[in-house]
Amino acid sequence: MDAQAQPVTPALPARLLRMARKFLAWLSLGIGLFFLACLIGSLIGVNNDWREPDTGVRIFVETNGVHTALVLPKRAAGHDWSALVSANHLANPARTGDYLSFSWGHRKFYLETQNWGDIKPSTIGSVLAGSDDTLIHVYHYYRPRAGKYARELMISKKQYQQLVKIIEDKFLFNPDGSVPPPIPGYGDSDVFYEATGHYTIINTCNTWTGDMLATIGVRVGAWTPLAGGVMRWFPEPAA
């Protein structure tokens, strides 16, 4: 009598290939669900009854397509940023202006990724892992203008003072009230400051921008981890 045939164990490379395909399928599903959640979160508005006041303080919400920032006047509503964000912190103090752009984010990503071509797997890994090591990025501007990448809006003086306070609270201060030595920026007109807060893919630089606006009562998306989720609430001005 012939011996009963034994099942043949698939070759290891074939099994690994099937496992890799399953992993990629689940990964693609996870990424797709994440972006769907980002879209839904950004479409659900908060402060829906808010309308711009006729008078107040003019600010801007800007983007480079990936990151967003808040652009505020250096001096307005009784507040002067010059003491905290000094022109002397710049590589070239002459490059200061009358407006300041504030954004918050992951230290490693900020410092190692000036351009998208600089992205490395280790940087992506650290961003996905999250970090308490965060920075505030400040650009000095002279007379910003509304356009495709910068949207103008008016907020009340009270809202501006609230916004100043919550941005200042993101700076890391020494026990004597000073800030740690600033970190050189990408060029002559920007600089980094040590910050507080925990960065995750849920709480991103764009979430920070949206949360700042939501906190002072401006109409914006409920959750805005992507730049488009912030900017959709502030229409591009007509040409």
Side-chain angles (χ1 to χ4, degrees), residues 18-39:
R18 286 201 297 270
M19 292 173 62
R21 286 173 176 169
K22 289 182 180 180
F23 172 77
L24 291 175
W26 282 107
L27 179 62
S28 298
L29 177 62
I31 292 173
L33 290 174
F34 173 76
F35 280 103
L36 178 62
C38 292
L39 175 61

Side-chain angles (χ1 to χ4, degrees), residues 14-216:
R15 295 176 63 189
L16 290 177
L17 182 59
R18 286 201 297 270
M19 292 173 62
R21 286 173 176 169
K22 289 182 180 180
F23 172 77
L24 291 175
W26 282 107
L27 179 62
S28 298
L29 177 62
I31 292 173
L33 290 174
F34 173 76
F35 280 103
L36 178 62
C38 292
L39 175 61
I40 294 172
S42 69
L43 290 173
I44 299 172
V46 296
N47 305 319
N48 288 312
D49 58 348
W50 179 77
R51 298 294 182 272
E52 288 189 48
D54 294 330
T55 60
V57 180
R58 183 182 68 156
I59 69 170
F60 296 83
V61 182
E62 69 167 358
T63 182
N64 63 2
V66 177
H67 299 289
T68 54
L70 296 171
V71 184
L72 312 183
K74 184 180 290 186
R75 299 176 183 87
H79 183 77
D80 187 342
W81 284 101
S82 299
L84 178 60
V85 183
S86 172
N88 292 326
H89 295 162
L90 296 174
N92 180 3
R95 292 296 302 276
T96 190
D98 52 1
Y99 273 77
L100 300 166
S101 166
F102 294 91
S103 59
W104 170 91
H106 191 284
R107 180 190 185 102
K108 185 178 179 68
F109 189 87
Y110 264 145
L111 297 183
E112 295 184 0
T113 314
Q114 179 176 355
N115 302 302
W116 287 111
D118 299 330
I119 294 181
K120 297 178 291 188
S122 61
T123 306
I124 295 174
S126 64
V127 168
L128 292 175
S131 176
D132 289 324
D133 201 0
T134 56
L135 298 173
I136 290 176
H137 193 194
V138 178
Y139 271 100
H140 290 238
Y141 288 152
Y142 182 71
R143 293 185 182 177
R145 298 176 61 183
K148 181 177 181 180
Y149 299 105
R151 315 292 169 77
E152 180 181 352
L153 67 149
M154 187 77 71
I155 60 175
S156 69
K157 290 184 178 179
K158 181 179 179 179
Q159 286 177 312
Y160 180 77
Q161 291 165 349
Q162 291 175 323
L163 186 57
V164 166
K165 178 64 169 58
I166 57 179
I167 291 177
E168 284 184 335
D169 286 345
K170 273 293 182 179
F171 280 77
L172 180 66
F173 290 92
N174 294 317
D176 64 358
S178 63
V179 295
I183 301 167
Y186 302 137
D188 291 342
S189 61
D190 70 306
V191 65
F192 292 100
Y193 296 88
E194 302 283 353
T196 63
H198 184 68
Y199 182 99
T200 68
I201 61 170
I202 305 299
N203 184 37
T204 69
C205 58
N206 300 310
T207 307
W208 180 83
T209 304
D211 287 350
M212 296 296 103
L213 295 169
T215 299
I216 66 171

